[in-house]
């Protein structure tokens, strides 16, 4: 057993047990700090809080009688800013937006804004560079319920030269006016949000879920939003009851999302968990996500921004996460016109999501909509209806059901045609599947380049019920389908075991090369 430091901040730190288990540790363990017992745990990722800045600690973890130690030093801190001194009211009713913003805006570089226990009603807050927001245990930032109190972020900011424009707010992949998030990091760097507190949008008590696909003044906000940011850390907090997508970094670099919990009602509309969009170098580690839509979705805009900017979402690590009850565990797209590159998923647990690995794209996403370098390793899926779905006929958008998107006749390969490269899945166990084990649908004019599966076990629930494995026209309800594949250049199965399926184990159409051992 070995312990490693994931990240150390001024008053908190994140650690990881190095092993092969998915999300949960092999056994419960205890943690001591400088010889004093501080906590116990049963997950591979854990955190410590209320630490002293610029202090060196000795950490010890004992599991099954074996102890490993680690020495680490917290980051320095210039100033400690107690937000309560700005006149906050912790009654959950009084609007604290201006006072909290004053504390955030006046914090010196290198400083920490500390919010003590209590419930603070607020609307959108904006963080500045080189600062930390620390939410104490028992602290809740509670979102206001009247959308008219939230500022609107313009989708497009015109340039004075009239030769260019800046894109700020995004709604489902397009630059459209949207309400600002509860927490915003825009054109800032070296920003940390940490602590054991809660970010509660309180959306269920407003009108955010009423006709959610209709624009009302502006499009719905996020819980956490970044744009043009660098070196951003979101750690430890409980994020809940989001207005729409919960964590939405856009056009940002070096984003760490560590050991947070996301809780949205399974009935809440489009409340994805973590949706990095056109971001580079993203670490999603140790998070527990329970939402009303996709748990983690990697995106890179729709056709307009994809063709104009072609900024991919790339270099993403997802590790030791528990992804629960959502529509998909890890989802690629469907807004991915800038491309998705170099994604590694390891040691994750997917618990009763509709799908496990879900890739969704369609004609019209564009020539820069290239998905490549996806590795999916050492994952456990429990009760996932369809463990693997790759769907290039996804019927989203107003034209999603048209012949242009849905026809299975080859179309010209042009500037609107997306591309799926090679995908690797290995060391995966999926139990109690229902609709299908694997459903791979490529375009006839642009087949999926390659799917390699190694050491994969899929079993079906004895009482499985039929349902639609992939959201595409012509794919009716299915039940206990082993592997359905169409328009794939190469499928390689190495030690792939599927049990409990009905009918033919393999349903292959227009698969150029198939190999199995």
């Amino acid at each position: 057993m070995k312990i490693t430091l994931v990240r150390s901040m001024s008053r908190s730190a994140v650690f990881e047990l190095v092993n092969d288990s998915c999300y949960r540790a092999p056994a419960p363990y205890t943690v001591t700090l400088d010889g004093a017992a501080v906590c116990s745990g049963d997950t591979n990722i854990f955190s410590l809080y209320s630490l002293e800045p610029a202090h060196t600690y000795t950490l010890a973890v004992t599991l099954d009688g074996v102890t490993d130690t680690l020495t680490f030093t917290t980051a320095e801190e210039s100033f400690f800013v107690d937000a309560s001194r700005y006149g906050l009211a912790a009654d959950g009713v009084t609007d604290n937006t201006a006072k909290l913003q004053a504390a955030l805006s006046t914090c010196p570089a290198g400083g920490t804004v500390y919010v003590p226990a209590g419930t603070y009603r607020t609307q959108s807050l904006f963080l500045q560079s080189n600062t930390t927001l620390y939410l104490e245990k028992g602290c809740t930032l509670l979102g206001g319920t009247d959308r008219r109190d939230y500022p609107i972020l313009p989708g497009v900011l015109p340039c004075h030269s009239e030769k260019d424009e800046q894109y700020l707010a995004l709604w489902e992949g397009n630059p459209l006016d949207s309400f600002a998030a509860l927490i915003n990091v825009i054109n800032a760097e070296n920003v940390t949000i940490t602590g054991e507190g809660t970010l509660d949008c309180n959306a269920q008590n407003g009108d955010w879920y009423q006709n959610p696909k209709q624009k009302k003044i502006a499009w719905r906000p996020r819980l956490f939003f970044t744009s043009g940011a660098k070196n951003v850390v979101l750690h430890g907090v409980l994020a809940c009851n989001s207005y729409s997508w919960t964590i939405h970094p856009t056009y940002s670099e070096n984003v760490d999302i560590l050991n947070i919990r996301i809780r949205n009602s399974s009935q809440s509309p489009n409340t994805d968990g973590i949706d990095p969009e056109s971001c580079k170098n993203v670490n999603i580690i140790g998070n527990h996500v329970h939402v009303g839509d996709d748990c983690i979705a990697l995106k890179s805009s729709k056709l307009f921004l994809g063709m104009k900017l072609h900024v991919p979402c790339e270099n993403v690590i997802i590790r030791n996460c528990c992804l629960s009850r959502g529509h998909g565990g890890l989802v690629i797209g469907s807004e991915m016109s800038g491309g998705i590159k170099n994604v590694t998923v390891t040691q994750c647990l997917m618990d009763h999501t509709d799908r496990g690995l879900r890739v969704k794209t369609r004609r019209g996403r564009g020539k820069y909509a290239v998905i490549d370098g996806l590795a999916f390793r050492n994952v456990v899926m429990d009760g996932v209806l369809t463990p693997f779905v790759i769907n290039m006929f996804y019927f989203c958008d107003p034209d999603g059901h048209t012949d242009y998107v849905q026809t299975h006749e080859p179309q010209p390969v042009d500037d609107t045609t997306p591309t799926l490269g090679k995908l690797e899945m290995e060391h995966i166990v999926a139990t109690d599947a229902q609709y299908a084990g694997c459903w791979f649908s490529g375009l006839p004019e642009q087949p999926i380049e390659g799917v390699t599966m190694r050491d994969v076990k899929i079993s079906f629930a004895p009482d499985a019920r039929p349902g639609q494995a992939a959201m595409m026209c012509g794919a009716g309800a299915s039940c206990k389908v082993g592997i359905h594949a169409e328009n794939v250049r190469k499928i390689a199965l190495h030690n792939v075991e599927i049990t409990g399926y009905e009918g033919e184990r393999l349903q292959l159409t227009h698969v150029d090369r198939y190999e199995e051992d």
Side-chain angles (χ1 to χ4, degrees):
M1 189 270 293
K2 183 180 179 182
I3 181 74
T4 62
L5 176 68
V6 176
R7 190 177 188 104
S8 179
M9 292 148 278
S10 60
R11 294 178 178 271
S12 57
V14 194
F15 306 90
E16 183 170 21
L17 301 182
V18 179
N19 54 52
D20 293 327
S21 65
C22 295
Y23 182 66
R24 300 203 178 279
Y29 54 85
T30 58
V31 179
T32 62
L33 194 64
D34 289 344
V38 289
C39 66
S40 60
D42 63 358
T43 57
N44 284 331
I45 305 293
F46 68 92
S47 300
L48 297 180
Y49 303 93
S50 300
L51 303 176
E52 289 295 322
H55 186 89
T56 299
Y57 291 95
T58 298
L59 175 80
V61 176
T62 301
L63 187 154
D64 276 344
V66 177
T67 300
D68 189 33
T69 60
L70 173 73
T71 299
F72 71 97
T73 302
T74 51
E76 294 183 355
E77 177 182 277
S78 63
F79 291 89
F80 180 79
V81 179
D82 187 343
S84 65
R85 296 181 62 191
Y86 288 70
L88 300 183
D91 57 12
V93 177
T94 304
D95 185 357
N96 290 278
T97 308
K99 295 171 182 177
L100 283 167
Q101 188 61 58
L104 295 169
S105 298
T106 58
C107 180
T112 294
V113 175
Y114 171 85
V115 186
T119 300
Y120 305 93
R121 192 70 168 262
T122 183
Q123 280 74 238
S124 303
L125 300 172
F126 295 80
L127 278 63
Q128 63 177 346
S129 295
N130 304 307
T131 58
T132 293
L133 172 61
Y134 189 101
L135 304 180
E136 182 59 86
K137 185 176 183 179
C139 164
T140 297
L141 299 187
L142 185 68
T145 56
D146 191 337
R147 66 177 61 221
R148 294 170 297 181
D149 293 333
Y150 287 76
I152 297 172
L153 299 182
V156 180
L157 296 174
C159 180
H160 180 69
S161 67
E162 298 183 356
K163 295 180 180 180
D164 205 354
E165 53 192 16
Q166 180 72 35
Y167 306 108
L168 180 54
L170 296 176
W171 175 257
E172 295 189 346
N174 285 320
L176 300 172
D177 293 2
S178 303
F179 290 108
L182 188 65
I183 303 293
N184 302 269
V185 182
I186 297 176
N187 300 326
E189 60 184 12
N190 306 322
V191 176
T192 297
I193 301 94
T194 183
E196 296 178 271
T198 298
L199 298 171
D200 185 350
C201 292
N202 197 26
Q204 75 281 8
N205 289 316
D207 64 355
W208 306 104
Y209 299 161
Q210 298 173 17
N211 300 315
K213 291 293 187 177
Q214 292 182 7
K215 178 181 177 182
K216 300 176 183 177
I217 305 175
W219 293 103
R220 287 185 289 159
R222 317 310 194 210
L223 182 148
F224 177 79
F225 177 75
T226 79
S227 178
K230 293 183 179 180
N231 308 324
V232 177
V233 182
L234 178 63
H235 164 243
V237 299
L238 168 63
C240 59
N241 302 316
S242 183
Y243 321 94
S244 61
W245 297 351
T246 307
I247 311 300
H248 188 205
T250 72
Y251 296 97
S252 298
E253 295 184 19
N254 306 327
V255 178
D256 284 359
I257 303 167
L258 309 175
N259 201 21
I260 69 170
R261 293 163 294 148
I262 299 177
R263 298 288 184 274
N264 296 323
S265 167
S266 60
Q267 305 303 313
S268 56
N270 308 112
T271 55
D272 291 16
I274 302 171
D275 287 16
E277 184 164 1
S278 296
C279 290
K280 183 177 182 179
N281 304 330
V282 180
N283 293 313
I284 301 173
I285 299 174
N287 306 296
H288 190 170
V289 182
H290 181 122
V291 293
D293 208 318
D294 297 327
C295 293
I296 298 174
L298 307 183
K299 300 176 179 291
S300 59
S301 75
K302 287 183 179 174
L303 187 64
F304 171 72
L305 288 180
M307 295 294 285
K308 187 174 179 64
L309 304 178
H310 44 89
V311 177
C313 194
E314 60 182 333
N315 305 337
V316 180
I317 293 174
I318 302 170
R319 188 170 72 243
N320 271 316
C321 291
C322 180
L323 309 174
S324 175
R325 306 291 172 175
H327 292 180
L330 170 65
V331 178
I332 309 294
S334 72
E335 304 90 355
M336 40 69 70
S337 293
I340 308 289
K341 300 179 181 180
N342 304 326
V343 179
T344 301
V345 182
T346 58
Q347 291 182 263
C348 287
L349 171 63
M350 299 185 180
D351 179 20
H352 289 82
T353 56
D354 292 348
R355 297 156 188 88
L357 170 62
R358 183 187 188 192
V359 178
K360 50 185 184 180
T361 186
R362 41 149 290 183
R363 295 184 183 99
R365 286 298 182 243
K367 65 180 181 180
Y368 297 109
V370 178
I371 297 174
D372 205 6
L374 174 60
F376 200 71
R377 303 189 182 103
N378 193 12
V379 173
V380 170
M381 303 185 196
D382 181 17
V384 174
L385 301 178
T386 306
F388 301 99
V389 176
I390 303 174
N391 176 16
M392 297 186 75
F393 296 93
Y394 185 58
F395 55 36
C396 61
D397 300 338
D399 65 343
H401 293 267
T402 62
D403 287 344
Y404 162 69
V405 174
Q406 294 299 325
T407 182
H408 284 245
E409 294 298 319
Q411 302 298 300
V413 175
D414 55 24
D415 283 352
T416 70
T417 309
T419 300
L420 259 65
K422 297 179 180 179
L423 300 93
E424 299 180 1
M425 305 87 143
E426 61 181 356
H427 304 301
I428 296 167
V429 176
T431 57
D432 287 337
Q434 296 196 33
Y435 304 162
C438 306
W439 188 286
F440 306 141
S441 291
L443 295 174
E445 70 271 18
Q446 191 82 292
I448 300 165
E449 184 65 30
V451 176
T452 300
M453 305 182 76
R454 182 176 287 106
D455 299 325
V456 175
K457 294 183 178 180
I458 301 172
S459 62
F460 287 90
D463 58 350
R465 297 182 178 181
Q468 190 174 29
M471 296 175 68
M472 54 186 286
C473 295
S478 63
C479 188
K480 297 186 179 181
V481 170
I483 297 178
H484 169 96
E486 57 180 325
N487 303 318
V488 184
R489 290 198 169 96
K490 179 182 177 181
I491 294 179
L493 306 180
H494 306 287
N495 190 29
V496 175
E497 178 183 318
I498 304 176
T499 58
Y501 62 90
E502 295 180 352
E504 295 293 329
R505 177 173 178 267
L506 303 176
Q507 301 176 7
L508 307 183
T509 305
H510 301 304
V511 174
D512 296 341
R513 181 180 174 188
Y514 168 77
E515 61 183 49
E516 183 171 6
D517 56 43

